[in-house]
Amino acid sequence: MKQIVCLHSLTPEQIHQIEQAAPGFEMIVKNKKELDPDQIKNAEIIVGWSRTIAEHALQEDSKLKWVQTWSAGVDTLPLERLRDRGILLTNSSGVHAIPISESIFAMMLSFSRQMHIAVRHQLQKNWKSDLTIPGHSTLGEINGKTLVIVGVGEIGRETARLAKAFGMHVIGVRRSDKPEPNVDQMLTMDGLHEALGQGDYIVNVLPLTEETHHMFDAAAWKAAKKGACFINAGRGPTVDTSSLIDALNSGQISGAGLDVFEQEPLPTDNPLWTMEQVIITPHVAGSNDRYTERVVDIFTENVKAYTQGQKPPRNLVDYERMY
């Protein structure tokens, strides 16, 4: 019997949901340490990925035909080897739209109301009504401010929807300038610096590709509106960390909310840790109690089509674009 190997825990109900959509397939739900090499090599479909299973999954006698990742990003996978083997690759794009957009707004509202500074004073039992940081501008309320979203996909669309509810002006930047609901102006990537010059808040939700690596560099910070607030909920290496630190020190960027980094975990000697104008979260913006449920829904739709001889309809990765 054909096999589906899932590396992540599922409830009995979720396993049944997948089995109903994939008649003729046996479901094996084990973590990477519990799987033996033969189970990996015999899997036609693998849900999730791990470097430790790649050795067996990509051998010449492997039966692997399709990988459904547990994440939206695929930059850590062996894309060339998967492509050369003709293996289908789908990701979990869309799962993160609600939790990450809410995390983005948690950071934006914290910066606008200086909540991150208040919490630090609270820990010191310090009653201080002036929450400004000397030498840095304070953005105040977000109503009426301009939000620039770089990389308008599922997360960007939901972020734009929330932004309009707060009365913000929204500028989007992506490969296509096709209009989107809740985005007042859409620019292509060629217009990135033009957009940055207008943003009170700049949100990066770009995937990591050869094109986007260090897209936010010294030139980008120079082009940005002075005193803008930057939030990175995309991929760490899309930002040149040293130039961001310089921009924060100079006040060109007034604050940064960072969930992802070039090096993770962020080294303890990195200056970002001790900057008052920085909020750090450990790559958890997409975490939530409905994550598995949403991945299973995506996979169920895909596997139903796959068993009927069709390509997975949702989130099929373009190996050339790397997303």
Side-chain angles (χ1 to χ4, degrees), residues 2-4 6 10 15 18-19 25-29 299:
K2 297 178 179 180
Q3 293 180 344
I4 299 172
C6 179
L10 301 175
I15 293 172
I18 295 170
E19 289 175 335
F25 278 84
E26 176 190 5
M27 277 288 295
I28 299 174
V29 181
F299 180 64

Side-chain angles (χ1 to χ4, degrees), residues 15-35:
I15 293 172
H16 180 69
Q17 177 181 333
I18 295 170
E19 289 175 335
Q20 288 292 102
F25 278 84
E26 176 190 5
M27 277 288 295
I28 299 174
V29 181
K30 292 183 178 181
N31 66 47
K32 59 189 178 184
K33 294 180 180 179
E34 296 172 334
L35 287 166

